[in-house]
Amino acid sequence: MRMLKWLRENWLHIALLLALIISVTFSFLIWANPFQRPHSKRTPTLRQSTTQVVTRKASDLYVPTTVVVNHSGGKQEQVQANMNKVVHVIQRGLLATNAGRVTPVALTAHDYQGEFHRADTVILNYPDTIPGELFKKLLHRGGSGDSFQVNHVMISTKNPDRLYLLDDAHRQEYVVPVRGTAVRQLVHFLVTLTGRRIPVAFRRIAGRMTVTYPAGLSLPQVSYLVNKQPVNQLVTRLMGANSSYTIDSRQQANTTTYTDSNQRLTVNQRKGVIAYDQYRHRGQRGNATAILTNNVKQLNNLDVGLTAVHFLGYSQQHHAVTYCSYVHGFPVISPVSRGMYTIRQTTTATLSVTLSQYGLQVAIPSEAGTHRVHLPATAEVFNQLMAVGIPADKVTGIMVGYRWRANKASGEVADLTPTYFVRINGQWQDYQQIIAHH
């Protein structure tokens, strides 16, 4: 009776308490399990994707990708084992370097070429010219560096207290004194690293001191899972943040074009190639250092995996910079830009970006991986090209890399086959395909 009387007298308080408990409970459930509200039928302006990825820095992209160790007696070997770790150690070592003033050294053309045969040295080779100003930034040193360029960094294994910067175009050497243990530890790591080494020799080709293979070399075929970026995500990332209008799309055959007032994105659905142009006037084009530095932000804005992507080359004539995936220390080249990114500043478009929907994700075991491909000596490649009518002076560059081919059994797998690539008319081409078509 007392309980009933108490309930009658306090029912209002009890009801309010229950309502409060129910409200708090549902608020918690909504907070813990948010739902998506229905999308408006209105077509909104696309917004930048909020997906979080690892931000890449200039020191991640602009790194030496080939390491040659010069031994006493003239023996030269390219380090090939565990190249992902090698590149990381080089990057970390250069970043930690306590560097002094850059000083030019007067050398004759003959003496400059002789530097590449100096015994007891390690030579770190960039895939293309790095502006001196950018190199100084990578060493955390200020000041202008417009007066010099860097193609190679040479370090004595006996006295690693200096960096010798080598500029192929001007056959000029620069000396940078260093303090601390960072460079010494880097050299020790490279010299004592166990694993496969490839006999090499430096040869001047089209004004560039190039790593060549006098006895040829053998590399494994490899297969990778392929990551395909959805078109709508790429449209959002590239166009969304810069658009103040509704983005229009038009379909024609295998091509879809997205436009608004100041930008255009074209998708070739058959090849998976994306071409993006942004038409905003922002003053004059910057110098090479400004272009290479600004490109770091542009690549990060793509919001794609760039873990094994590094600088490949810069065309001063076209103001175009190319980046690509690297496997075992060698670049992956595709005629349809797979795994590659090209950023260009033009006179008509402030920014032009070409990339592919397809990128390398992770290596997978396969029968191809047990097979090694033997490539001929570099001199033999030139002989084969001349035999089909391609004179040596038409070749402005040569390198070993991996050719990307789609797996015949699965579109989600890429087969990478080692080959020589030669640069003719500014384009890297598989030498075997050149020979086959002549």
Side-chain angles (χ1 to χ4, degrees), residues 381-394:
V381 172
F382 276 99
N383 291 337
Q384 292 182 33
L385 290 170
M386 286 190 290
V388 296
I390 306 294
D393 59 3
K394 292 292 184 182

Side-chain angles (χ1 to χ4, degrees), residues 99-115:
R101 184 177 179 180
V102 179
T103 305
V105 176
L107 291 177
T108 66
H110 180 268
D111 289 340
Y112 179 83
Q113 198 146 329
E115 288 291 86

